[in-house]
Amino acid sequence: MRASDADRDATAERLATALAEGRLRLDEYEERLHAAMSAVHLGDLAALTADIPEPAPAVPAVGEEPESPAATALGPAPSAWKEWTDEWRWWLGGAVIMTGIWGVTSIMGGALLPYWPLVPLGIWAAILVAAAIWPDESSDSRR
C-alpha cells in the first residue's frame, strides 16, 4: 500500500522521539528521516522503525489530572500562551466589576469619585506582563 504524507510525518515524529530518547545517533536519525520522507510504500516506513519500541503513553505527574478524551480528540493541551490570555480575560472581568462598583458609588455620591480601580488593575496587569517576560521555568508554564 502506498504511504501518505501523514504516514511519513508520523514516522518522522517517531524517529524524532527515538533521537530525543537516545535510541538513535544523529547520523542514523538523518539517514532514516531522509528515507522516510522519500518512502513510497508503508512497508518502507515500517522497516525504518522496526527496531524502535513504541513510545510509552504519557503518565500524568502526581497531582495532575489526566487529559480528557475530548481534549486529546480536539488536539493538544492548551499552551502556556492560551493560559496567559485566559488570565487577561479574568483581568478584564475584574475591570468590568470594579468599574461598575466605582460607577455606582459615583452616581450614589452625586459626583465622580477618583478612579480607584486603577490601582488594583494596574498591579494585576503588571504581574501578568511580568509572567510573560519571566515565565516560571520549573513548572513549564507562564505563571
Side-chain angles (χ1 to χ4, degrees), residues 1 8 15-16 29-30 35 37-38 40 55 63 71 86 89 92 99-100 107-108 116-117 127-128:
M1 186 177 291
R8 290 183 200 89
L15 291 171
Y29 167 73
E30 290 173 350
M37 291 298 116
S38 60
V40 177
D86 288 344
R89 285 192 195 110
L92 183 60
T99 301
I107 290 171
M108 289 175 58
W116 60 264
I127 291 170
L128 292 176

Side-chain angles (χ1 to χ4, degrees), residues 70-127:
T72 54
L74 296 176
S79 71
W81 286 109
K82 181 178 179 336
E83 292 176 13
W84 188 68
T85 56
D86 288 344
E87 291 291 336
W88 278 104
R89 285 192 195 110
W90 282 101
W91 181 89
L92 183 60
V96 168
I97 291 170
M98 286 187 252
T99 301
I101 293 170
W102 169 80
V104 168
T105 55
S106 290
I107 290 171
M108 289 175 58
L112 286 178
L113 300 173
Y115 188 69
W116 60 264
L118 186 63
V119 173
L121 291 174
I123 293 170
W124 194 354
I127 291 170

Side-chain angles (χ1 to χ4, degrees), residues 65-78:
E65 294 183 26
E67 289 185 12
S68 67
T72 54
L74 296 176

